[in-house]
Amino acid sequence: MDARRRMMSGFHNSKQEVRVRVVRVLANLPVPDISAAKGFYSDYLGLSNEEFNLGWVARYTSPDSGASVQLVSGDASAPEDSVISVQVDDVDGAYAEAQRLGYAIVHPLTTEPWGVRRFFVRAPDGNVINVAAHSS
């Protein structure tokens, strides 16, 4: 079995180790106005649970399936918007690993006022990824 097929099937070489453990991935959809977009995502798509709304970012989730989306009108503290938010179990370790691998850090590791510890990293394809964990 080639390496790609092993990865897709969940089989890993014993020498491979997982460096970052992802807990959840959320799409960050750019919208000009969260209030104006809310009706479509909440009423039409049924993502009716508003988990949070900071004015510039809000998460809407289906009460039935748990499917979620985040609407972002412009990040309040980072210089760029991210395309996805990746929740990890160890954000400090993920930050150290991103630095070790030489990935561009777009927003430094920060504990935000709304209770999230996060950083932004630029993937080699140019996408900006928000890597986060809830502060304890």
Side-chain angles (χ1 to χ4, degrees), residues 50-68:
E50 185 176 79
E51 289 187 38
F52 66 87
N53 187 334
L54 301 177
W56 60 271
V57 61
R59 181 181 308 142
Y60 297 97
T61 302
S62 166
D64 299 324
S65 70
S68 297

Side-chain angles (χ1 to χ4, degrees), residues 88-117:
V88 297
D89 65 346
D90 178 9
V91 72
D92 292 271
Y95 185 72
E97 184 67 4
Q99 288 182 311
R100 186 186 76 75
L101 293 170
Y103 294 130
I105 302 299
V106 176
H107 178 65
L109 186 60
T110 305
T111 301
E112 303 289 3
W114 54 90
V116 171
R117 187 156 170 81

Side-chain angles (χ1 to χ4, degrees), residues 24-130:
R24 183 179 190 188
V25 177
L26 295 161
N28 292 339
L29 295 180
V31 297
D33 182 325
I34 289 175
S35 296
K38 178 181 178 178
F40 178 83
Y41 295 96
S42 180
D43 299 337
Y44 175 65
L45 292 182
L47 304 175
S48 56
N49 287 350
E50 185 176 79
E51 289 187 38
F52 66 87
N53 187 334
L54 301 177
W56 60 271
V57 61
R59 181 181 308 142
Y60 297 97
T61 302
S62 166
D64 299 324
S65 70
S68 297
V69 68
Q70 291 187 154
L71 307 180
V72 182
S73 63
D75 198 288
S77 69
E80 294 185 46
D81 290 336
S82 58
V83 295
I84 60 173
S85 291
V86 177
Q87 293 178 357
V88 297
D89 65 346
D90 178 9
V91 72
D92 292 271
Y95 185 72
E97 184 67 4
Q99 288 182 311
R100 186 186 76 75
L101 293 170
Y103 294 130
I105 302 299
V106 176
H107 178 65
L109 186 60
T110 305
T111 301
E112 303 289 3
W114 54 90
V116 171
R117 187 156 170 81
R118 69 182 185 153
F119 69 96
F120 284 17
V121 60
R122 188 176 311 281
D125 57 22
N127 285 309
V128 175
I129 311 302
N130 174 21

